[in-house]
Amino acid sequence: MWVFGYGSLIWNPDFPVAEQRIARVHGWQRSFCMRSIHHRGSIADPGLVLALDAHADGQCDGVAFRVAPGHEAATLAALRERELISSAYLETHVPAQLHGGETVQALCYVIDRDHDQYCGGISLEEQAEIIARAIGGRGSNRDYLWATAAHLAQLGIEDADLTTLAERVRLLCR
């Protein structure tokens, strides 16, 4: 069983991993397009979390994790509890091209554009303002952004929008 991580799963998979590889999915873009009312915000003051948003010419680099054998059912249950908390994500499988060329089918959580938490198209400035102030059950929205940006950089994965957003939030939080 493979799982594709593009946000917090990169730095906190929270399941037994047998192998992890840099991977790319086509037809999707990483985006702060989901209002977070649980983990990184609240109903009164929603934050923003990353989701894969469908984009015909898009691609997203992340990490494919191979779940340790024998832990597939427990991992699936834990991921569903974590990721499907508000049903804004859709559980799907995507072809993930591993660094080196092999392609695997990976479990992935993508945004449901019909869900009321979908908020694609928000400017980077507005995203920064929301992320700078929001706090949820798993902590501050800014820490989520900074951890994701730092881990992408450590892995050598470029994401210009995320880098710009992290820098802008740092300025707002001074």
Side-chain angles (χ1 to χ4, degrees):
M1 173 180 175
W2 288 88
V3 177
F4 182 73
Y6 54 85
S8 63
L9 283 176
I10 290 173
W11 46 271
N12 184 23
D14 210 21
F15 56 83
V17 175
E19 177 183 3
Q20 72 178 55
R21 307 258 303 271
I22 302 295
R24 174 175 288 165
V25 297
H26 294 277
W28 301 95
Q29 285 188 312
R30 177 182 13 251
S31 173
F32 274 100
C33 63
M34 179 178 150
R35 293 195 189 283
S36 177
I37 58 173
H38 299 288
H39 296 318
R40 300 297 172 167
S42 64
I43 292 172
D45 191 17
L48 295 172
V49 289
L50 291 164
L52 282 188
D53 198 2
H55 190 282
D57 298 325
Q59 66 183 30
C60 177
D61 291 331
V63 177
F65 297 96
R66 187 170 58 82
V67 177
H71 294 274
E72 295 86 354
T75 295
L76 182 58
L79 285 170
R80 285 177 172 166
E81 182 177 330
R82 172 180 170 168
E83 303 297 336
L84 300 179
I85 189 168
S86 67
S87 73
Y89 285 126
L90 300 172
E91 183 178 275
T92 191
H93 284 83
V94 296
Q97 184 178 11
L98 304 180
H99 185 72
E102 179 186 0
T103 298
V104 299
Q105 289 298 312
L107 177 68
C108 187
Y109 294 91
V110 302
I111 191 68
D112 177 356
R113 284 185 165 197
D114 293 327
H115 197 278
D116 62 355
Q117 286 175 252
Y118 176 71
C119 58
I122 295 177
S123 72
L124 285 178
E125 184 59 31
E126 187 178 350
Q127 289 177 42
E129 291 168 7
I130 293 167
I131 291 169
R133 71 171 185 266
I135 298 173
R138 288 189 179 227
S140 75
N141 208 170
R142 63 182 172 254
D143 287 344
Y144 167 87
L145 164 64
W146 293 336
T148 303
H151 282 81
L152 288 173
Q154 287 174 357
L155 294 168
I157 297 174
E158 296 284 329
D159 188 318
D161 283 350
L162 207 71
T163 299
T164 299
L165 193 54
E167 290 169 1
R168 182 64 186 130
V169 170
R170 276 190 176 74
L171 290 174
L172 290 171
C173 290
R174 283 188 176 172

